[in-house]
Amino acid sequence: MAKAVLGLLAVAGLLYLGICVLMYVQQRGLMYFPQFTRGDAADTDFELDRGDAVLRGWIVNPHQTDAVLYFGGNAERIEDNRDDLAAWLPARSSYLLAYRGYGASDGNPGESALLADALALYDEVRRRHPHGRIALIGRSLGSGIASHVAAHRDVERLVLVTPFDSLAAVAQGHYRWLPVRLLLRDRYDSVASLSRYDGPLLILRAGNDAVIPPRHTDRLIASWRGTPTVVDFSQAGHNDIHLQPGYGEALARFLR
């Protein structure tokens, strides 16, 4: 009997180890969803050549003095924001650049590449707007990217929509039975990034978010040494917060 139990435990242990190995190898396929965003390069109007990849996107309200960079969520078709940003922020040029592997952009996504691309986008926008103010909007996955840019560049204002403390913490919450914190390569540590930013901060919080549970937004808020402006959409979910009354008004009021 004891041998049988030990045998079952050994099989279970090997099975668990195999699942861990599979999750480690396949993690980026489980983390990034560019397949829902693919588009035609001919439909874009802005390019950023990164040497190993050409990134493509759109400019809204071009030729304004001030600018805003929009970093979208995972599986978000960022071009769907163009009309809203044009209406909400008419005095700013809005830049929406698809992550590598997303939209019509070349390459494959990964944290180090996406963060470097975001800094390169900021630098290009600064070149185009030498005397303007540059603000950032980051939604979901993009909140981690925007936080990184705010930590390393001169950012006038920062907006985070459904943000998290770290992607590792969020993933661990979804997969409690796996050692996700040990396995995850792309971590997007927003707490660490925001510790280096001390400008105005707006956080739009979804109270009914099942993808990034609100406790992760709350932990990010609690970790920051400043006092952010927080607008709580208590009935909003992760994917519909932008449809809530007052969402556009909150963005426009903060970024005017």
Side-chain angles (χ1 to χ4, degrees), residues 75-211:
E76 180 183 1
R77 295 182 62 85
I78 56 173
E79 62 268 35
D80 293 343
N81 297 284
R82 288 179 293 173
D83 290 345
D84 285 338
L85 290 175
W88 295 337
L89 306 174
R92 289 184 186 262
S93 296
S94 297
Y95 288 80
L96 304 93
L97 188 69
Y99 304 135
R100 58 176 61 212
Y102 285 68
S105 294
D106 303 334
N108 296 299
E111 181 180 16
S112 60
L114 266 58
L115 296 182
D117 291 342
L119 293 175
L121 172 61
Y122 177 97
D123 293 342
E124 173 61 19
V125 172
R126 171 54 69 203
R127 186 186 69 80
R128 291 169 176 246
H129 300 259
H131 306 296
R133 300 170 297 176
I134 298 179
L136 310 179
I137 302 172
R139 180 174 178 177
S140 187
L141 173 64
S143 70
I145 297 171
S147 296
H148 178 80
V149 175
H152 293 88
R153 295 293 188 271
D154 180 16
V155 170
E156 176 222 355
R157 287 174 176 266
L158 175 63
V159 179
L160 301 179
V161 183
T162 60
F164 47 77
D165 46 355
S166 76
L167 199 60
V170 175
Q172 185 66 75
H174 285 296
Y175 298 95
R176 296 180 183 275
W177 53 281
L178 285 172
V180 173
R181 293 179 186 274
L182 297 177
L183 298 173
L184 204 64
R185 286 177 286 179
D186 295 359
R187 310 182 73 83
Y188 296 99
D189 190 343
S190 295
V191 168
S193 293
L194 274 190
S195 69
R196 301 181 60 177
Y197 173 74
D198 57 7
L201 173 62
L202 170 65
I203 291 180
L204 303 184
R205 180 182 182 276
N208 196 29
D209 194 333
V211 178

Side-chain angles (χ1 to χ4, degrees), residues 218-233:
D218 295 342
R219 289 171 186 167
L220 180 66
I221 294 169
S223 74
W224 196 51
R225 62 179 178 269
T227 304
T229 300
V230 180
V231 180
D232 184 43
F233 297 92

